[in-house]
Amino acid sequence: MIRDEIIIEQYDWHVHVYMVAAENDAQEILTKLDKIGIKASEYMRAERHLQKAFRDNTGMTYSNPDTRTSVMVIGRSSSEAETVNTFSHELRHLADDLAEACAIPLHGEEIAYLTGDLACVLAGSLLRIVCACPKCSSHE
């Protein structure tokens, strides 16, 4: 599993990213969700969701606006294209969560720049998964 932690300084927001997560990573992810303080109902939903996240082409994103923290999980994928698809899907959830918490309009330049900035920060992790070249795959 690839782990990343990013900080979006402009919004004082922390994101814990787990990519290529497998079943044996579930407890670590659940512990992180508990640590960021998501609601009990969301935690139970995340437990159920994690069971699906370990199938191909799935992921999940949970955020706590009170702690300004998110957990984003990308499971295994059946192809590079599906990895990008799942990543993009979860990136959208992350951007929406920040937009809601920080009163960013869902249309316009601010949300577009935020989404692009998130993609740039996470590009290294994504490339390690979808690119087989020695430069990308050697970054652990």
Side-chain angles (χ1 to χ4, degrees), residues 15-39:
V15 184
H16 302 275
V17 183
Y18 301 93
M19 300 183 89
V20 196
E23 289 181 46
N24 60 339
D25 302 314
Q27 191 55 55
E28 179 181 341
I29 294 166
L30 289 169
T31 298
K32 184 60 73 174
L33 288 168
D34 186 47
K35 188 174 181 178
I36 74 165
I38 65 171
K39 297 174 187 169

PDB file of all heavy atoms in Angstrom, residues 15-39:
ATOM      1  N   VAL A  15      -4.907  15.580   4.480  1.00  0.00           N
ATOM      2  CA  VAL A  15      -5.474  14.443   3.753  1.00  0.00           C
ATOM      3  C   VAL A  15      -4.534  13.248   3.908  1.00  0.00           C
ATOM      4  O   VAL A  15      -3.342  13.353   3.617  1.00  0.00           O
ATOM      5  CB  VAL A  15      -5.668  14.750   2.258  1.00  0.00           C
ATOM      6  CG1 VAL A  15      -6.344  13.576   1.554  1.00  0.00           C
ATOM      7  CG2 VAL A  15      -6.464  16.039   2.052  1.00  0.00           C
ATOM      8  N   HIS A  16      -5.093  12.148   4.383  1.00  0.00           N
ATOM      9  CA  HIS A  16      -4.353  10.888   4.494  1.00  0.00           C
ATOM     10  C   HIS A  16      -4.806  10.021   3.323  1.00  0.00           C
ATOM     11  O   HIS A  16      -5.993   9.730   3.191  1.00  0.00           O
ATOM     12  CB  HIS A  16      -4.658  10.205   5.818  1.00  0.00           C
ATOM     13  CG  HIS A  16      -4.331  11.071   6.985  1.00  0.00           C
ATOM     14  ND1 HIS A  16      -3.064  11.139   7.513  1.00  0.00           N
ATOM     15  CD2 HIS A  16      -5.090  11.940   7.701  1.00  0.00           C
ATOM     16  CE1 HIS A  16      -3.058  11.987   8.519  1.00  0.00           C
ATOM     17  NE2 HIS A  16      -4.275  12.498   8.658  1.00  0.00           N
ATOM     18  N   VAL A  17      -3.854   9.646   2.482  1.00  0.00           N
ATOM     19  CA  VAL A  17      -4.161   8.920   1.248  1.00  0.00           C
ATOM     20  C   VAL A  17      -3.584   7.515   1.329  1.00  0.00           C
ATOM     21  O   VAL A  17      -2.420   7.333   1.685  1.00  0.00           O
ATOM     22  CB  VAL A  17      -3.583   9.653   0.023  1.00  0.00           C
ATOM     23  CG1 VAL A  17      -3.963   8.937  -1.262  1.00  0.00           C
ATOM     24  CG2 VAL A  17      -4.036  11.107  -0.005  1.00  0.00           C
ATOM     25  N   TYR A  18      -4.417   6.542   0.996  1.00  0.00           N
ATOM     26  CA  TYR A  18      -4.015   5.134   0.944  1.00  0.00           C
ATOM     27  C   TYR A  18      -4.334   4.622  -0.450  1.00  0.00           C
ATOM     28  O   TYR A  18      -5.495   4.575  -0.841  1.00  0.00           O
ATOM     29  CB  TYR A  18      -4.764   4.312   1.996  1.00  0.00           C
ATOM     30  CG  TYR A  18      -4.522   4.804   3.403  1.00  0.00           C
ATOM     31  CD1 TYR A  18      -5.368   5.724   4.000  1.00  0.00           C
ATOM     32  CD2 TYR A  18      -3.415   4.357   4.127  1.00  0.00           C
ATOM     33  CE1 TYR A  18      -5.132   6.179   5.287  1.00  0.00           C
ATOM     34  CE2 TYR A  18      -3.179   4.799   5.412  1.00  0.00           C
ATOM     35  CZ  TYR A  18      -4.045   5.718   5.984  1.00  0.00           C
ATOM     36  OH  TYR A  18      -3.802   6.171   7.265  1.00  0.00           O
ATOM     37  N   MET A  19      -3.301   4.252  -1.200  1.00  0.00           N
ATOM     38  CA  MET A  19      -3.505   3.784  -2.566  1.00  0.00           C
ATOM     39  C   MET A  19      -3.045   2.335  -2.682  1.00  0.00           C
ATOM     40  O   MET A  19      -2.071   1.932  -2.056  1.00  0.00           O
ATOM     41  CB  MET A  19      -2.755   4.684  -3.544  1.00  0.00           C
ATOM     42  CG  MET A  19      -3.244   6.131  -3.445  1.00  0.00           C
ATOM     43  SD  MET A  19      -2.462   7.219  -4.617  1.00  0.00           S
ATOM     44  CE  MET A  19      -3.570   7.039  -5.989  1.00  0.00           C
ATOM     45  N   VAL A  20      -3.768   1.577  -3.498  1.00  0.00           N
ATOM     46  CA  VAL A  20      -3.562   0.143  -3.677  1.00  0.00           C
ATOM     47  C   VAL A  20      -3.750  -0.549  -2.322  1.00  0.00           C
ATOM     48  O   VAL A  20      -2.985  -1.419  -1.922  1.00  0.00           O
ATOM     49  CB  VAL A  20      -2.181  -0.202  -4.299  1.00  0.00           C
ATOM     50  CG1 VAL A  20      -2.179  -1.631  -4.816  1.00  0.00           C
ATOM     51  CG2 VAL A  20      -1.811   0.743  -5.426  1.00  0.00           C
ATOM     52  N   ALA A  21      -4.789  -0.134  -1.636  1.00  0.00           N
ATOM     53  CA  ALA A  21      -5.092  -0.707  -0.326  1.00  0.00           C
ATOM     54  C   ALA A  21      -5.605  -2.136  -0.496  1.00  0.00           C
ATOM     55  O   ALA A  21      -6.317  -2.452  -1.450  1.00  0.00           O
ATOM     56  CB  ALA A  21      -6.143   0.136   0.387  1.00  0.00           C
ATOM     57  N   ALA A  22      -5.211  -2.987   0.455  1.00  0.00           N
ATOM     58  CA  ALA A  22      -5.621  -4.394   0.440  1.00  0.00           C
ATOM     59  C   ALA A  22      -6.309  -4.725   1.760  1.00  0.00           C
ATOM     60  O   ALA A  22      -6.315  -3.919   2.697  1.00  0.00           O
ATOM     61  CB  ALA A  22      -4.404  -5.286   0.224  1.00  0.00           C
ATOM     62  N   GLU A  23      -6.874  -5.914   1.834  1.00  0.00           N
ATOM     63  CA  GLU A  23      -7.638  -6.306   3.012  1.00  0.00           C
ATOM     64  C   GLU A  23      -6.844  -6.192   4.303  1.00  0.00           C
ATOM     65  O   GLU A  23      -7.380  -5.784   5.328  1.00  0.00           O
ATOM     66  CB  GLU A  23      -8.167  -7.732   2.846  1.00  0.00           C
ATOM     67  CG  GLU A  23      -9.275  -7.815   1.811  1.00  0.00           C
ATOM     68  CD  GLU A  23      -9.811  -9.225   1.653  1.00  0.00           C
ATOM     69  OE1 GLU A  23     -10.061  -9.873   2.687  1.00  0.00           O
ATOM     70  OE2 GLU A  23      -9.970  -9.649   0.509  1.00  0.00           O
ATOM     71  N   ASN A  24      -5.565  -6.531   4.266  1.00  0.00           N
ATOM     72  CA  ASN A  24      -4.766  -6.468   5.494  1.00  0.00           C
ATOM     73  C   ASN A  24      -4.471  -5.031   5.925  1.00  0.00           C
ATOM     74  O   ASN A  24      -3.877  -4.816   6.975  1.00  0.00           O
ATOM     75  CB  ASN A  24      -3.476  -7.283   5.360  1.00  0.00           C
ATOM     76  CG  ASN A  24      -2.591  -6.799   4.240  1.00  0.00           C
ATOM     77  OD1 ASN A  24      -3.040  -6.140   3.315  1.00  0.00           O
ATOM     78  ND2 ASN A  24      -1.322  -7.138   4.310  1.00  0.00           N
ATOM     79  N   ASP A  25      -4.886  -4.029   5.133  1.00  0.00           N
ATOM     80  CA  ASP A  25      -4.719  -2.619   5.486  1.00  0.00           C
ATOM     81  C   ASP A  25      -5.954  -2.037   6.170  1.00  0.00           C
ATOM     82  O   ASP A  25      -5.941  -0.885   6.602  1.00  0.00           O
ATOM     83  CB  ASP A  25      -4.417  -1.796   4.224  1.00  0.00           C
ATOM     84  CG  ASP A  25      -3.174  -2.277   3.505  1.00  0.00           C
ATOM     85  OD1 ASP A  25      -2.163  -2.512   4.200  1.00  0.00           O
ATOM     86  OD2 ASP A  25      -3.216  -2.429   2.269  1.00  0.00           O
ATOM     87  N   ALA A  26      -7.003  -2.818   6.276  1.00  0.00           N
ATOM     88  CA  ALA A  26      -8.281  -2.305   6.780  1.00  0.00           C
ATOM     89  C   ALA A  26      -8.161  -1.713   8.176  1.00  0.00           C
ATOM     90  O   ALA A  26      -8.673  -0.616   8.441  1.00  0.00           O
ATOM     91  CB  ALA A  26      -9.346  -3.402   6.759  1.00  0.00           C
ATOM     92  N   GLN A  27      -7.497  -2.397   9.084  1.00  0.00           N
ATOM     93  CA  GLN A  27      -7.420  -1.912  10.459  1.00  0.00           C
ATOM     94  C   GLN A  27      -6.676  -0.584  10.545  1.00  0.00           C
ATOM     95  O   GLN A  27      -7.082   0.314  11.274  1.00  0.00           O
ATOM     96  CB  GLN A  27      -6.784  -2.953  11.388  1.00  0.00           C
ATOM     97  CG  GLN A  27      -6.931  -2.587  12.854  1.00  0.00           C
ATOM     98  CD  GLN A  27      -8.388  -2.350  13.245  1.00  0.00           C
ATOM     99  OE1 GLN A  27      -9.249  -3.201  13.041  1.00  0.00           O
ATOM    100  NE2 GLN A  27      -8.684  -1.180  13.791  1.00  0.00           N
ATOM    101  N   GLU A  28      -5.606  -0.445   9.779  1.00  0.00           N
ATOM    102  CA  GLU A  28      -4.868   0.822   9.766  1.00  0.00           C
ATOM    103  C   GLU A  28      -5.756   1.967   9.280  1.00  0.00           C
ATOM    104  O   GLU A  28      -5.751   3.065   9.852  1.00  0.00           O
ATOM    105  CB  GLU A  28      -3.634   0.701   8.871  1.00  0.00           C
ATOM    106  CG  GLU A  28      -2.827   1.965   8.767  1.00  0.00           C
ATOM    107  CD  GLU A  28      -1.612   1.833   7.859  1.00  0.00           C
ATOM    108  OE1 GLU A  28      -1.161   0.704   7.578  1.00  0.00           O
ATOM    109  OE2 GLU A  28      -1.100   2.887   7.434  1.00  0.00           O
ATOM    110  N   ILE A  29      -6.524   1.710   8.244  1.00  0.00           N
ATOM    111  CA  ILE A  29      -7.404   2.738   7.687  1.00  0.00           C
ATOM    112  C   ILE A  29      -8.516   3.069   8.678  1.00  0.00           C
ATOM    113  O   ILE A  29      -8.823   4.248   8.918  1.00  0.00           O
ATOM    114  CB  ILE A  29      -7.966   2.284   6.323  1.00  0.00           C
ATOM    115  CG1 ILE A  29      -6.817   2.191   5.306  1.00  0.00           C
ATOM    116  CG2 ILE A  29      -9.052   3.234   5.840  1.00  0.00           C
ATOM    117  CD1 ILE A  29      -7.163   1.442   4.037  1.00  0.00           C
ATOM    118  N   LEU A  30      -9.121   2.060   9.279  1.00  0.00           N
ATOM    119  CA  LEU A  30     -10.178   2.302  10.263  1.00  0.00           C
ATOM    120  C   LEU A  30      -9.644   3.068  11.473  1.00  0.00           C
ATOM    121  O   LEU A  30     -10.327   3.951  12.014  1.00  0.00           O
ATOM    122  CB  LEU A  30     -10.821   0.985  10.696  1.00  0.00           C
ATOM    123  CG  LEU A  30     -11.693   0.318   9.637  1.00  0.00           C
ATOM    124  CD1 LEU A  30     -12.058  -1.099  10.063  1.00  0.00           C
ATOM    125  CD2 LEU A  30     -12.949   1.146   9.357  1.00  0.00           C
ATOM    126  N   THR A  31      -8.439   2.750  11.892  1.00  0.00           N
ATOM    127  CA  THR A  31      -7.823   3.479  13.007  1.00  0.00           C
ATOM    128  C   THR A  31      -7.644   4.949  12.648  1.00  0.00           C
ATOM    129  O   THR A  31      -7.906   5.840  13.462  1.00  0.00           O
ATOM    130  CB  THR A  31      -6.472   2.835  13.386  1.00  0.00           C
ATOM    131  OG1 THR A  31      -6.717   1.498  13.819  1.00  0.00           O
ATOM    132  CG2 THR A  31      -5.771   3.619  14.481  1.00  0.00           C
ATOM    133  N   LYS A  32      -7.221   5.216  11.412  1.00  0.00           N
ATOM    134  CA  LYS A  32      -7.057   6.603  10.974  1.00  0.00           C
ATOM    135  C   LYS A  32      -8.401   7.316  10.918  1.00  0.00           C
ATOM    136  O   LYS A  32      -8.518   8.476  11.340  1.00  0.00           O
ATOM    137  CB  LYS A  32      -6.361   6.654   9.610  1.00  0.00           C
ATOM    138  CG  LYS A  32      -6.064   8.051   9.118  1.00  0.00           C
ATOM    139  CD  LYS A  32      -5.161   8.836  10.055  1.00  0.00           C
ATOM    140  CE  LYS A  32      -3.755   8.333   9.986  1.00  0.00           C
ATOM    141  NZ  LYS A  32      -2.813   9.149  10.783  1.00  0.00           N
ATOM    142  N   LEU A  33      -9.440   6.638  10.448  1.00  0.00           N
ATOM    143  CA  LEU A  33     -10.773   7.239  10.417  1.00  0.00           C
ATOM    144  C   LEU A  33     -11.248   7.588  11.821  1.00  0.00           C
ATOM    145  O   LEU A  33     -11.823   8.645  12.056  1.00  0.00           O
ATOM    146  CB  LEU A  33     -11.764   6.296   9.727  1.00  0.00           C
ATOM    147  CG  LEU A  33     -11.611   6.165   8.218  1.00  0.00           C
ATOM    148  CD1 LEU A  33     -12.430   4.996   7.697  1.00  0.00           C
ATOM    149  CD2 LEU A  33     -12.005   7.462   7.518  1.00  0.00           C
ATOM    150  N   ASP A  34     -10.983   6.683  12.761  1.00  0.00           N
ATOM    151  CA  ASP A  34     -11.346   6.945  14.152  1.00  0.00           C
ATOM    152  C   ASP A  34     -10.558   8.140  14.686  1.00  0.00           C
ATOM    153  O   ASP A  34     -11.111   9.013  15.358  1.00  0.00           O
ATOM    154  CB  ASP A  34     -11.083   5.697  14.991  1.00  0.00           C
ATOM    155  CG  ASP A  34     -11.576   5.833  16.406  1.00  0.00           C
ATOM    156  OD1 ASP A  34     -12.732   6.278  16.611  1.00  0.00           O
ATOM    157  OD2 ASP A  34     -10.810   5.508  17.330  1.00  0.00           O
ATOM    158  N   LYS A  35      -9.295   8.193  14.342  1.00  0.00           N
ATOM    159  CA  LYS A  35      -8.430   9.269  14.831  1.00  0.00           C
ATOM    160  C   LYS A  35      -8.861  10.641  14.306  1.00  0.00           C
ATOM    161  O   LYS A  35      -8.736  11.639  15.018  1.00  0.00           O
ATOM    162  CB  LYS A  35      -6.979   8.988  14.448  1.00  0.00           C
ATOM    163  CG  LYS A  35      -5.995   9.934  15.077  1.00  0.00           C
ATOM    164  CD  LYS A  35      -4.571   9.507  14.782  1.00  0.00           C
ATOM    165  CE  LYS A  35      -3.600  10.470  15.451  1.00  0.00           C
ATOM    166  NZ  LYS A  35      -2.220  10.085  15.243  1.00  0.00           N
ATOM    167  N   ILE A  36      -9.358  10.702  13.074  1.00  0.00           N
ATOM    168  CA  ILE A  36      -9.794  12.004  12.551  1.00  0.00           C
ATOM    169  C   ILE A  36     -11.166  12.390  13.090  1.00  0.00           C
ATOM    170  O   ILE A  36     -11.612  13.506  12.896  1.00  0.00           O
ATOM    171  CB  ILE A  36      -9.755  12.086  11.012  1.00  0.00           C
ATOM    172  CG1 ILE A  36     -10.887  11.302  10.351  1.00  0.00           C
ATOM    173  CG2 ILE A  36      -8.391  11.703  10.466  1.00  0.00           C
ATOM    174  CD1 ILE A  36     -11.114  11.635   8.889  1.00  0.00           C
ATOM    175  N   GLY A  37     -11.826  11.444  13.776  1.00  0.00           N
ATOM    176  CA  GLY A  37     -13.055  11.775  14.474  1.00  0.00           C
ATOM    177  C   GLY A  37     -14.319  11.780  13.638  1.00  0.00           C
ATOM    178  O   GLY A  37     -15.209  12.600  13.876  1.00  0.00           O
ATOM    179  N   ILE A  38     -14.417  10.856  12.678  1.00  0.00           N
ATOM    180  CA  ILE A  38     -15.681  10.819  11.937  1.00  0.00           C
ATOM    181  C   ILE A  38     -16.780  10.276  12.846  1.00  0.00           C
ATOM    182  O   ILE A  38     -16.511   9.593  13.834  1.00  0.00           O
ATOM    183  CB  ILE A  38     -15.584  10.009  10.620  1.00  0.00           C
ATOM    184  CG1 ILE A  38     -15.321   8.528  10.873  1.00  0.00           C
ATOM    185  CG2 ILE A  38     -14.541  10.610   9.696  1.00  0.00           C
ATOM    186  CD1 ILE A  38     -15.439   7.679   9.619  1.00  0.00           C
ATOM    187  N   LYS A  39     -18.001  10.582  12.514  1.00  0.00           N
ATOM    188  CA  LYS A  39     -19.152  10.156  13.314  1.00  0.00           C
ATOM    189  C   LYS A  39     -19.258   8.639  13.336  1.00  0.00           C
ATOM    190  O   LYS A  39     -18.835   7.963  12.394  1.00  0.00           O
ATOM    191  CB  LYS A  39     -20.435  10.747  12.734  1.00  0.00           C
ATOM    192  CG  LYS A  39     -20.473  12.247  12.767  1.00  0.00           C
ATOM    193  CD  LYS A  39     -21.696  12.761  12.036  1.00  0.00           C
ATOM    194  CE  LYS A  39     -21.636  14.277  11.931  1.00  0.00           C
ATOM    195  NZ  LYS A  39     -22.637  14.801  11.021  1.00  0.00           N
TER     196      LYS A  39
END
